[in-house]
Amino acid sequence: MGPVTSVLLPNYVRAPIAFERGEGAWLVARGGERYLDFGAGVAVNALGHAHPHLVAALTEQASKVWHVSNLYEIPEGERLGQRLVDATFADIAFFCNSGAEANEAAIKMARKYHAAGGHPERFRIITFEGAFHGRTLATIAAGGQQKYIEGFGPKVDGFDQVPAGDMAALEAAITPETAALMIEPIQGEGGVRVVPAAELRHLRALCDRHGLLLIMDEVQTGVGRTGRLFAHEWSGVTPDIMSAAKGIGGGFPLGVCLATKEAARGMVPGSHGTTFGGNPLAMAVGNAVLDIVLAPGFLDHVNRVALVLKQKLASLRDRHPQVVLEIRGEGLMLGLKLGVPNTEFAAAARAEHLLAIPAGDNVVRLLPPLIVSEDEVAQAVERLEAAAAQLDGGLRGAAE
Ligand SMILES: *Cc1c(COP(=O)(O)O)cnc(C)c1O
């Protein structure tokens, strides 16, 4: 059992379980029970737990220097930035500590781009229903979800939201004040909702036609999660600005805002900053994550196990069509749309020692570490099957 009272702010509803250590796709609880981790700390532990290469990189850097501030050159950061630039559309990288901060940088950059071009009135950003961009004042306004906005005073101005997939509504929302569109290529918290490639191409064309910047929020979808380094690569559409975080530090807090030189034109010295962002510990770990994710064959592995997982989940759905309605997603970012409450399903899975994560639209997300094996995928689906069978039994009992 967890603590009955806690001094921690009660903003989280925590499961009554504490993990003591992890290895690969497994977490070991204080009592010694082993859990198969298909949540990966919400898509953060991209290389699983206690990956020897990451442990070595962190401890080696820890014995040299932890923090120097951005008043000095940080060679590990130059190197990580260069590698990200080489691997993507981007020319420029800004390091920070979280997804929300990466999005804040993206939002500020898009506004400053237009201001620098003589159009400070172009500051509004169009976002999409069901979006999640973080929990700062600006990013809750961008996400547009009432449950996150309410009670926190005046909503930050400058965000206009349109229904996902409604191109007519989108075009109608573009005004002379619009600066950018901001979109997750696959909505994560919103329920693993994939944006079709044709729609992304349409967004790109609209941006080009109206002089808008296209911002992709790849905080959850990035760093190999979908089987490509970044999810937008599946569509062939490139953004002007992109945020990434979660998986990029493999569990060490790290975010990045990547951009073309043109999109970043307004971000002159002094225009933005962060004390911790890009510190040597984070940069060392980020480089170590890339050593592995960029290694030949790594993404092939992700795509191979993802296919196995998807096939097994499809047959699970066929066996329990009342419980599992639909399988969604790309690569190792999969969602089960459920016919039972997603929190109940996640709890039933946890009772089978499988960790999965509820999302919006009554979905449970499966976000295993990218190093997960086919055997572990098979074990996970057996555990999901047990959970589904139990809930299926409950449904049938209720129908009788
Ligand atoms: C998690 C997430 C964020 C916020 O990241 P934090 O590190 O929690 O600030 C932003 N966008 C997306 C798509 C996310 O999944």
Side-chain angles (χ1 to χ4, degrees):
M1 287 296 289
V4 177
T5 58
S6 171
V7 295
L8 302 182
L9 192 73
N11 57 327
Y12 295 111
V13 180
R14 298 173 193 271
I17 183 167
F19 298 108
E20 202 164 60
R21 60 195 171 83
E23 39 186 76
W26 298 84
L27 275 171
V28 184
R30 274 208 299 224
E33 308 88 28
R34 289 167 62 81
Y35 286 77
L36 195 44
D37 184 8
F38 270 46
V42 198
V44 167
N45 302 100
L47 303 180
H49 300 280
H51 193 292
H53 187 61
L54 302 197
V55 173
L58 183 63
T59 49
E60 195 193 321
Q61 185 60 47
S63 66
K64 290 187 194 161
V65 63
W66 291 21
H67 180 85
V68 296
S69 88
N70 287 302
L71 300 173
Y72 308 101
E73 291 178 0
I74 299 175
E76 301 85 354
E78 294 285 345
R79 176 159 180 257
L80 182 56
Q82 187 64 54
R83 295 170 85 187
L84 288 168
V85 160
D86 289 345
T88 65
F89 70 94
D91 307 310
I92 294 249
F94 167 75
F95 292 111
C96 51
N97 313 286
S98 69
E101 278 179 283
N103 283 332
E104 285 274 344
I107 291 162
K108 288 177 73 174
M109 187 183 283
R111 289 181 172 190
K112 203 69 189 273
Y113 165 84
H114 290 288
H119 290 283
E121 77 286 0
R122 297 187 73 172
F123 69 94
R124 307 195 68 84
I125 295 176
I126 296 176
T127 64
F128 297 84
E129 272 176 26
F132 183 82
H133 298 300
R135 299 293 204 108
T136 60
L137 287 168
T139 55
I140 56 175
Q145 301 214 34
Q146 270 313 311
K147 62 180 176 184
Y148 298 145
I149 291 171
E150 247 166 54
F152 294 113
K155 190 177 132 183
V156 172
D157 189 21
F159 298 96
D160 301 305
Q161 197 158 64
V162 298
D166 185 341
M167 290 304 126
L170 172 58
E171 292 196 36
I174 296 172
T175 74
E177 292 188 342
T178 306
L181 311 184
M182 182 163 169
I183 191 164
E184 298 156 84
I186 303 175
Q187 284 189 348
E189 312 294 312
V192 192
R193 298 198 288 187
V194 180
V195 180
E199 199 176 315
L200 290 179
R201 284 194 286 272
H202 189 69
L203 295 191
R204 179 73 264 178
L206 274 180
C207 285
D208 294 344
R209 187 177 332 140
H210 295 276
L212 312 176
L213 296 177
L214 181 58
I215 305 172
M216 298 249 195
D217 179 345
E218 292 239 26
V219 169
Q220 194 161 151
T221 50
V223 197
R225 176 56 51 192
T226 70
R228 301 291 290 264
L229 188 58
F230 289 99
H232 69 262
E233 295 168 23
W234 289 112
S235 68
V237 172
T238 48
D240 303 293
I241 303 175
M242 177 177 75
S243 54
K246 295 201 162 89
I248 198 165
F252 198 93
L254 173 59
V256 65
C257 178
L258 291 160
T260 63
K261 202 166 164 232
E262 171 69 5
R265 69 183 178 186
M267 304 304 280
V268 297
S271 58
H272 192 51
T274 157
T275 297
F276 291 119
N279 102 358
L281 291 174
M283 298 300 92
V285 179
N287 274 306
V289 168
L290 283 194
D291 290 342
I292 294 183
V293 173
L294 295 179
F298 184 82
L299 293 177
D300 296 333
H301 164 83
V302 173
N303 286 303
R304 198 164 51 242
V305 284
L307 186 64
V308 173
L309 177 56
K310 219 169 181 177
Q311 285 168 342
K312 287 185 184 295
L313 290 174
S315 76
L316 171 68
R317 179 203 54 206
D318 292 344
R319 285 192 298 278
H320 301 283
Q322 321 285 97
V323 176
V324 180
L325 307 181
E326 187 192 330
I327 313 295
R328 307 168 171 174
E330 199 76 73
L332 289 175
M333 181 173 179
L334 297 177
L336 311 183
K337 166 86 175 163
L338 298 167
V340 295
N342 58 355
T343 48
E344 268 177 41
F345 188 91
R350 197 171 68 242
E352 301 294 332
H353 288 193
L354 179 86
L355 304 178
I357 301 187
D361 200 25
N362 204 34
V363 163
V364 156
R365 273 175 288 179
L366 301 178
L367 304 161
L370 308 181
I371 46 94
V372 73
S373 69
E374 282 190 32
D375 180 54
E376 286 161 341
V377 159
Q379 288 187 57
V381 178
E382 277 170 27
R383 293 168 191 216
L384 290 170
E385 173 91 45
Q390 191 210 327
L391 294 167
D392 222 352
L395 284 181
R396 268 197 285 272
E400 273 160 17

